[in-house]
Amino acid sequence: MRIFDSGRFCVTVPEGWLAFCGTDSGGKITPKKVHIYKGISSPTDMFTHVGITVCFFGREDYYLSPRHFYENIVDMEPLPIGPYTWNGYTCTSLGYPYTMLDTEKDGYIFQVMILMKNGEHGISLDDTDVRHIIGSLALAE
């Protein structure tokens, strides 16, 4: 396992997973979005595999839940993982199943999007690696 530090937050990345910063709405690489995908060797492989996207919203950011963009929404009970209690739901987007989680603490928000199935690849919120990733989220020093 290794620690990935985006500059805004840190996350532990298990063996066999790849972490990299994502892009903002303007197409620029941002430390506020990190993709953590299973079984890939380069960022372009994310389109054929499963993984987790973590978005960070600081006190200066506006957070709007993406809930209304999805279909087949099923609410989940609050879930403690690591130092946070997560609110969430399952849903589909363009036919792909997701688990969506968010948590707020001290004015900042973590949003976690888990792509659960893509082709023959699958992960679950119950997987040890997935729980470890989510439970390791922390602000960067």
Side-chain angles (χ1 to χ4, degrees):
M1 295 212 185
R2 67 181 184 84
I3 303 292
F4 181 84
D5 184 343
S6 76
R8 294 302 300 258
F9 64 92
C10 299
V11 60
T12 301
V13 181
E15 204 60 42
W17 294 69
L18 180 68
F20 52 97
C21 287
T23 57
D24 62 17
S25 59
K28 292 185 175 196
I29 301 278
T30 176
K32 293 182 177 185
K33 181 188 288 184
V34 172
H35 299 292
I36 308 139
Y37 271 69
K38 184 176 183 179
I40 68 172
S41 55
S42 74
T44 56
D45 294 337
M46 72 182 276
F47 300 108
T48 59
H49 286 68
V50 291
I52 299 168
T53 298
V54 179
C55 297
F56 173 82
F57 298 84
R59 290 181 185 96
E60 72 283 0
D61 299 315
Y62 180 73
Y63 175 71
L64 177 65
S65 171
R67 181 184 179 99
H68 61 279
F69 292 111
Y70 302 114
E71 300 171 334
N72 305 313
I73 296 168
V74 177
D75 288 319
M76 299 167 46
E77 291 293 319
L79 179 68
I81 302 176
Y84 306 104
T85 297
W86 298 85
N87 298 303
Y89 54 93
T90 59
C91 62
T92 56
S93 176
L94 303 173
Y96 292 95
Y98 282 86
T99 297
M100 307 291 286
L101 303 172
D102 63 39
T103 191
E104 186 272 331
K105 183 175 182 177
D106 299 331
Y108 63 89
I109 295 171
F110 281 118
Q111 177 192 48
V112 172
M113 299 171 277
I114 305 166
L115 173 57
M116 298 185 303
K117 182 112 176 88
N118 190 354
E120 75 243 15
H121 305 285
I123 55 175
S124 162
L125 183 57
D126 295 326
D127 293 350
T128 302
D129 281 355
V130 171
R131 293 275 179 139
H132 189 80
I133 291 166
I134 296 167
S136 73
L137 289 167
L139 295 179
E141 298 285 322

